[in-house]
Structure formats: C-alpha cells, structure tokens
Amino acid sequence: GILSAFRLDNGKRAWSRDLANEMKSVPNFYGFGASPIIHAGKVILPTGAPEAAITAFDAVTGETIWTAGADAAAFQTCVLISNDDTELLVGATNTQTFGLDPSDGAIRWTRQHENAGQMGSWAVVPVPLPNGQIFLMDGEDRSSGVRLTDGKAETVWNGREIRNSYCVPVVVNEILCTYSSRFLVGLDPATGERLFRQRTPGNG
C-alpha cells in the first residue's frame, strides 16, 4: 500500500504515502492493484479507504487534494471523459461507480454494481462509447451500457454477452470488442446486440 513518485531524471523517490496506515486502505486478495492516472497536476486513483474510495494527490508534493466516497477498491482505473461539454472523472470501486468533478472530487452521481466479484466489478475500467454512453463490466456475469445525462447514469442495455473477463474492451469501427470468457465478441455499443462471437484458438 505504498504509493510513491520518482524523479524521471535520476530515479530518486520524490515522495511516498502509506495508504494502509494513513488512510486505512484495505488490500484485496492480491494486494493493492488500482492504477493511478495523472490530470491537471494531480495523481488520482481508487484508494479503497473507509472515507476515501477515490483520492487525488498533488503530483509534486504527494499531499492529499481531495477524497471522495467510501468503498473498498481492487484493480480499477479511473477514466476522464467529456460529458455535456463538462470534464468528468468516472471511477469504479468494488461496489459502485462514481461520476466526479476532477477538480475537487465533488460527486455528480453514483451507480451500484450489479454484484461484486473478482471477474467484473473488481476490475472495472469505464470505457467511453459513442453518444454519451460508457461501458461498465460491473457484474460478475454481466455488463452494461450506461448513458450519462442530466447528472445521472442510466442503464441503456444490460446483458451477459460480455462477462467473466478482466479484459478492457475497445471500440473499433463502431464495434465494442473484447473477450468474454473464452470467446472474442463484438457488440453494437448503442444497444448491446451481439455482432459476432468467435472461440479463440487453443480452447477446443
């Protein structure tokens, strides 16, 4: 649970924070695995603490700038998106997804996961989709297309076409592509309709 920053010119440590002792962050089965992002001079990551589900640190000094929510975290990564011409930080923890103002951590909306589990909500990385939507694999055996509008996160589609996977999908030629269990699948990102499903080589 040691978060550290290092100088690029000589590799020396610039600062470090002990998340477990300072913030009471709780490790998961495989320890601390959430990935940080850098934005506007801040290091932002899910810290999984009782009073700091997501935290922004000053990139130069390591001081806490803001905290948001209360939830455990595992292997999630926050994503910055543009929503209604406003910058929004979308970050997941183990039981919910937050829409935050990246400047001060103000919570714009929250969304509860379908259920918690290692394959699904523990590894949620929000994926921006066309038409103001995002993709969330926020269930152990399901995933959702969610529209962000009027300060709310509303489910557009939900299904089992993408499930049981740690892979982060990508949108290619307007097709949402990723692995679902042992299959490579492609969905219509607007509706969740399956466009193709192919078993990967070596799996029978």
Side-chain angles (χ1 to χ4, degrees):
I2 305 298
L3 176 67
S4 299
F6 299 87
R7 292 185 55 87
L8 292 177
D9 55 357
N10 58 24
K12 292 183 178 180
R13 188 181 345 231
W15 53 262
S16 67
R17 298 288 301 271
D18 187 336
L19 304 183
N21 287 325
E22 293 180 41
M23 307 181 73
K24 308 305 178 186
S25 298
V26 180
N28 282 271
F29 181 78
Y30 293 107
F32 291 91
S35 299
I37 62 171
I38 307 295
H39 174 66
K42 296 184 286 293
V43 178
I44 304 173
L45 80 159
T47 40
E51 297 182 1
I54 298 174
T55 304
F57 302 90
D58 187 290
V60 176
T61 67
E63 295 298 316
T64 301
I65 297 177
W66 55 255
T67 62
D71 195 13
F75 319 113
Q76 301 92 345
T77 301
C78 298
V79 173
L80 284 159
I81 67 171
S82 179
N83 178 240
D84 294 332
D85 297 323
T86 301
E87 201 168 42
L88 185 70
L89 179 76
V90 182
T93 50
N94 286 3
T95 68
Q96 58 193 316
T97 301
F98 296 88
L100 306 173
D101 185 328
S103 64
D104 59 8
I107 298 175
R108 303 305 184 200
W109 50 262
T110 60
R111 172 188 166 83
Q112 293 295 123
H113 297 330
E114 290 288 326
N115 52 50
Q118 294 182 37
M119 283 193 175
S121 58
W122 284 17
V124 175
V125 177
V127 178
L129 301 177
N131 302 318
Q133 295 185 36
I134 59 173
F135 170 84
L136 296 173
M137 192 161 60
D138 56 355
E140 182 75 7
D141 60 353
R142 334 185 47 83
S143 52
S144 304
V146 179
R147 177 177 292 115
L148 306 180
T149 180
D150 298 327
K152 296 181 293 183
E154 299 179 333
T155 301
V156 177
W157 54 264
N158 178 278
R160 290 169 45 84
E161 295 292 352
I162 297 177
R163 65 185 190 274
N164 299 333
S165 176
Y166 293 113
C167 296
V168 179
V170 294
V171 178
V172 181
N173 295 328
E174 299 184 355
I175 300 175
L176 180 67
C177 302
T178 191
Y179 282 102
S180 178
S181 189
R182 296 181 176 183
F183 294 87
L184 178 65
V185 300
L187 307 186
D188 181 335
T191 64
E193 177 187 359
R194 188 175 75 198
L195 302 177
F196 67 81
R197 183 172 184 261
Q198 178 178 333
R199 184 180 289 273
T200 55
N203 288 320

